[in-house]
Amino acid sequence: MPQLTERLAAIQAEVHRRNAGEPEFHQAVDEVLHSLNRVVAKHPEYADMALIERICEPERQIIFRVPWLDDKGNVHINRGFRVQFNSALGPYKGGIRFHPSVNVGIIKFLGFEQTFKNALTGMPIGGGKGGSDFDPKGKSDLEIMRFCQSFMTELHRHIGEYTDVPAGDIGVGGREIGYMFGAYKRLTNKYEAGVLTGKGLSYGGSRARTEATGYGTAAFARHMMETRKDGLEGRKCIVSGSGNVAIYAIEKLQEYGAKVIACSDSSGYVVDKDGIDLDLLKEIKEVRRERLSAYQEERGKGVQYIKDGSVWDVECEVALPCATQNELHGKDAKKLVKNGVKVVAEGANMPCTPEAIEVFQESKVLFAPGKAANAGGVATSALEMQQNASRDSWTFEKTAGRLDEIMKTIHDDCAATAEDYGAPGDYVLGANIAGFVRVADAMRALGVV
Ligand code: GLU
């Protein structure tokens, strides 16, 4: 990475000092500050009025206790978080993550990324993120319901359709959003559909929201390939993860005619040379909520299941990391490059380490950061908010069509911005600058608040 200017280096040092022990947050901030080198050189006014310092400091951070009862009557406590990062462009918007690794630093990095991602969608949404260190793995439906109700008992006073609109993320899908919406409705005595997105279709959800993040990531990869007059048809692909993002990225890649041969979960990965059987994967992951080893057991011959291995060892031309932060390291990137990878688009938030990104960029692999490539999820959440506000319900085709247009626009904005700032093909720089400029312009107009 290039050296930061003295001014940006001082901001970086202060962010690190003030948020000690939060390495993921530092990583996310450092990447944006490096991109801002070029912005401040061209437009010094963006460094005025402590604008960059303000953008790195969340507007509000809420931490609360979440007590809940398991099925045997034992009491447990977890910690709940909501970081309301930036509301210059609209109400705070961003998912809720339930995973044992959640802490304030993780939620802060996600909220920071979300602020720029949401700006890139062009929709009127600010950035926020929430979650808990609760582990949903192995919990019964009733335990999940009681946890969600307890979580919302505290969170409800901080959110609202004009204030802060949470959605899902790792460990939070349609089931959890339903329980949280039910609790919010009861606590407030209001049917405020636009307070949460990712809702079920029976109570105000949007068609295509479930598919949106994965579909959008695959579309972004396709647009990147098109800049080299290339496509995804017949390409060998790997998608890490096997949750909501991964499943629908696989679905769209298959629709484009690509061959997805591997996916993973936290216990290992499968390689299916004939192409992943998506119906079976959906049944195992979405319905039965089982481990990926079940895929190999049921699909049988020709499928390998590698316990605890790295999915990045599999040879491919297209790689979509769709699992979690920092899941793809420098050594994995080198392996992928050696094996001939052409395009990498992040379906998860910050899945590639800075070293991995450097390897891809130096090797001229097309690389898209999550804040651009996975923005289709939150963009479709904003479409859900539009439908809720107008008491309307769009068709799948209309919603998915809008998503396609949005992904193309994000791609083109990032590419054009990178070019304007003298780094054609650098989607990291393009995304960071295009997102920053939108948030910064609104913040400058709103004064020091
Ligand atoms: N958690 C998703 C993300 O990382 C979606 C957020 C939303 O829809 O608000 O963008």
Side-chain angles (χ1 to χ4, degrees), residues 93-95 114 117 129 165-169 197 209 349 374 377-378 381:
K93 179 86 198 86
Q114 197 82 46
K117 180 197 307 193
K129 203 86 185 190
V165 182
D169 196 81
T197 61
R209 175 64 190 89
N349 291 311
N374 74 35
V378 74
S381 277

Side-chain angles (χ1 to χ4, degrees), residues 52-71:
I52 300 171
E53 288 88 334
R54 282 188 285 140
I55 233 170
C56 293
E57 178 69 12
E59 289 176 18
R60 192 171 298 104
Q61 306 180 48
I62 303 151
I63 304 183
F64 50 94
R65 181 174 69 193
V66 190
W68 58 279
L69 280 171
D70 68 21
D71 290 342

